[in-house]
Amino acid sequence: MPSVDINIGPVHPALHEPEKFVFKVDGEVVVDVEPRLGYVHRGIEKAAGEKTFTQAVYLVERVCGICNVAHTLASVQAIERAFEVDVPARAKYLRTIIHELNRLHSHLLLLGVACELMGFDTLFMMLWRDREVVMDLMELATGNRVMSAYNVIGGVRRNISDHEVSTIRKALTSLSEGVKRYRKAFAEDPTIRARCVNVGRLSPFKGISLGAVGPTARGSGINVDVRVKEPYAAFDEIQCTPITYNEGDSWARFMVRIDELHESIRIIDEALNKMPRGPIRVPVAEVAPQTAESFSIVEAPRGELLHHIYVKKGEDRPLRYRIRTPTYANMPALCEMLKGGYIADIPVTLVSIDPCFSCTDRLTLIDIRSHKRKVVRLKSSI
Amino acid sequence: MRLPSLLKEVWKNLFEKPATVKYPHEKLGVPESYRGKHLLARSRCTGCGLCGEVCPASAITMEQLGNGIFPVIDLSKCIFCYQCGDACPRGAIIRGREVELASWSKEDLILK
């Protein structure tokens, strides 16, 4: 029987961002998927090349509002490497703390959205209520709920006082109790299990060959975590255990995230204990001291995030800026997960990779006469 | 059949205070560290224009006001990163905590 095309998106209630998918279906079963990316391409990479280094950090912070700390962290680390600047130890710990707070808020947000898409609005409301605790901590520590503007080239913006440390500890202890209850609900609740178990399977072999990253890969038993494999910030001194589940279905991916909440709370606690005293920022030259190429990889809430930068001696702006975001890396794996599933399972599978499409959209050249697409290499575009 | 583990918490919610507040009538306030509407200390300003140079959103222009050149911040463009405050050598841009900046006209959002 020939398959039928179903267009979902670019504007669709199940997708929170404009993105189009063409599903080829045979009856109720999805046979093939064709994603169409690019609706929210904003040209941030190009714009970053026209701003000074200081300004570019604020620009890349807006690639993704939810994982803004991961973006600024990757950006400032890449610039610091190119400039050969050493960051004070306390700043590294503060970066780690805010980075993990950001992960807590992102994971709670995603788990809430997943519950909403499953039709489990009670748990959605509870998760988002507890997310407010993290948002308040972000506000206390950085000065804004979402756009933290915390990491700067050479260190961090604000110090954390002893009083704030105790506030963070107290709030995270109560959050930890809540997360335990939600973990139990995710692990045992019949509604969640019926909607997630065996839905959107990704085998470890496919996961590796399609280049899945972050919780998507870890849900298939692939042990990848930048925090462990390539420690950055204070992760070389803080112990971090990667969380993996071997099931490879949507349920496993949600469980990875919920266990990572516990892990993040533990990391923040350890960082607060070990944090040395001292300066939080060093002055950095405004122009590049040498011609260099550098990159930085961090574990964003959605997976590994890469910022790649070229600088030229004497210039105050980057020559070329390149960002590789985790959702982009997860797209081939997502298409694989959707194949063979039911139409009704599409939203759960889609949300289980924690898609963030506004960071995904990248440069593709399309020849309008021949409709041929061409992907431009970094070197040739300088 | 086993009862869902969340049922206890759902039941408890019926007797608890709501998690939300009725915003315009009741306010949560912002912490000391919040980055809100700027306070401009004109007496400290030398009119050097560094704040306008570094502003990532190009929200600051330098204008002749009275007997000197001072920064004028367009709050409708401002992203509240406070890079201007960081760049100011004299500490003339002070962090304020006012967050309710909605206005009927854009002119009201120009901070002199």
Side-chain angles (χ1 to χ4, degrees), chain A residues 178-190:
Chain A
V179 174
K180 263 182 213 156
R181 289 199 299 276
Y182 305 139
R183 192 190 182 281
K184 204 170 167 223
F186 262 89
E188 293 169 4
D189 195 279

Side-chain angles (χ1 to χ4, degrees), chain A residues 102-351:
Chain A
N102 187 232
R103 189 186 316 280
L104 280 177
H105 124 67
S106 174
H107 280 358
L108 283 168
L109 179 132
L110 180 268
L111 291 165
V113 170
C115 288
E116 192 206 5
L117 284 176
M118 283 180 232
F120 197 161
D121 278 21
T122 312
L123 191 51
F124 158 55
M125 287 291 170
M126 285 175 175
L127 283 161
W128 277 44
R129 179 192 63 194
D130 282 9
R131 177 174 163 261
E132 280 307 306
V133 176
V134 186
M135 302 303 279
D136 287 346
L137 292 182
M138 282 289 278
E139 198 178 30
L140 179 81
T142 69
N144 200 313
R145 277 163 56 86
V146 181
M147 284 300 168
S148 57
Y150 194 70
N151 298 317
V152 286
I153 306 163
V156 292
R157 262 332 235 317
R158 236 190 126 255
N159 211 339
I160 292 181
S161 68
D162 290 343
H163 176 68
E164 284 164 357
V165 168
S166 63
T167 315
I168 293 174
R169 277 226 180 87
K170 219 167 112 192
L172 288 182
T173 314
S174 71
L175 178 71
S176 179
E177 289 302 311
V179 174
K180 263 182 213 156
R181 289 199 299 276
Y182 305 139
R183 192 190 182 281
K184 204 170 167 223
F186 262 89
E188 293 169 4
D189 195 279
T191 322
I192 292 179
R193 287 193 70 93
R195 289 292 268 132
C196 299
V197 172
N198 274 332
V199 169
R201 268 188 172 279
L202 180 73
S203 68
F205 173 73
K206 278 278 179 194
I208 292 169
S209 57
L210 294 173
V213 294
T216 310
R218 292 197 285 275
S220 295
I222 307 163
N223 190 355
V224 285
D225 193 323
V226 186
R227 290 174 292 175
V228 183
K229 308 279 174 192
E230 292 261 337
Y232 55 92
F235 283 112
D236 48 353
E237 289 164 30
I238 295 171
Q239 200 218 333
C240 171
T241 327
I243 287 144
T244 52
Y245 274 74
N246 292 324
E247 285 84 347
D249 51 7
S250 300
W251 180 80
R253 291 189 281 277
F254 293 134
M255 290 308 283
V256 165
R257 292 198 175 88
I258 210 152
D259 284 353
E260 276 187 10
L261 292 175
H262 279 302
E263 184 65 12
S264 287
I265 292 172
R266 198 197 55 71
I267 290 172
I268 295 171
D269 196 50
E270 196 180 327
L272 287 173
N273 284 333
K274 283 187 179 174
M275 187 162 60
R277 295 202 174 270
I280 57 162
R281 196 171 174 178
V282 288
V284 179
E286 277 178 24
V287 295
Q290 73 240 353
T291 305
E293 172 195 1
S294 76
F295 64 90
S296 160
I297 310 175
V298 302
E299 182 74 20
R302 286 159 185 77
E304 66 173 53
L305 165 73
L306 180 133
H307 279 234
H308 189 167
I309 188 169
Y310 282 89
V311 300
K312 194 176 167 193
K313 188 178 178 182
E315 291 271 333
D316 65 345
R317 28 211 94 201
L319 206 57
R320 176 75 169 92
Y321 206 106
R322 165 78 182 136
I323 307 166
R324 184 183 185 261
T325 52
T327 307
Y328 189 69
N330 278 332
M331 284 313 281
L334 171 70
C335 295
E336 183 60 32
M337 287 172 208
L338 289 164
K339 281 177 204 165
Y342 291 112
I343 294 175
D345 291 334
I346 291 172
V348 172
T349 310
L350 188 63
V351 83

Side-chain angles (χ1 to χ4, degrees), chain B residues 83-103:
Chain B
Q83 184 63 42
C84 48
D86 272 13
C88 184
R90 310 250 305 173
I93 299 177
I94 304 158
R95 205 174 55 218
R97 288 170 62 206
E98 196 185 329
V99 287
E100 289 163 326
L101 302 173
S103 156

Side-chain angles (χ1 to χ4, degrees), chain B residues 37-43 45 59-66 69-75 92-93 106-112:
Chain B
K37 186 177 172 181
H38 317 63
L39 305 168
L40 298 176
R42 226 182 258 182
S43 57
C45 182
I60 304 179
T61 46
M62 302 302 289
E63 278 179 29
Q64 182 82 37
L65 299 167
I69 297 173
F70 296 108
V72 174
I73 305 179
D74 186 349
L75 292 178
I93 299 177
K106 279 201 166 178
E107 281 74 52
D108 296 347
L109 292 171
I110 296 193
L111 189 67
K112 284 185 182 169

Side-chain angles (χ1 to χ4, degrees), chain A residues 57-124:
Chain A
V57 176
Y58 294 109
L59 181 69
V60 297
E61 185 170 25
R62 279 151 182 82
V63 170
C64 172
I66 299 170
C67 40
N68 65 77
V69 180
H71 277 282
T72 50
L73 185 55
S75 171
V76 297
Q77 280 180 1
I79 297 170
E80 280 157 7
R81 255 172 226 170
F83 281 34
E84 291 180 354
V85 176
D86 272 337
V87 182
R90 189 178 172 87
K92 283 186 179 171
Y93 274 88
L94 287 170
R95 281 177 178 181
T96 311
I97 291 164
I98 301 300
H99 186 46
E100 291 303 316
L101 275 177
N102 187 232
R103 189 186 316 280
L104 280 177
H105 124 67
S106 174
H107 280 358
L108 283 168
L109 179 132
L110 180 268
L111 291 165
V113 170
C115 288
E116 192 206 5
L117 284 176
M118 283 180 232
F120 197 161
D121 278 21
T122 312
L123 191 51
F124 158 55

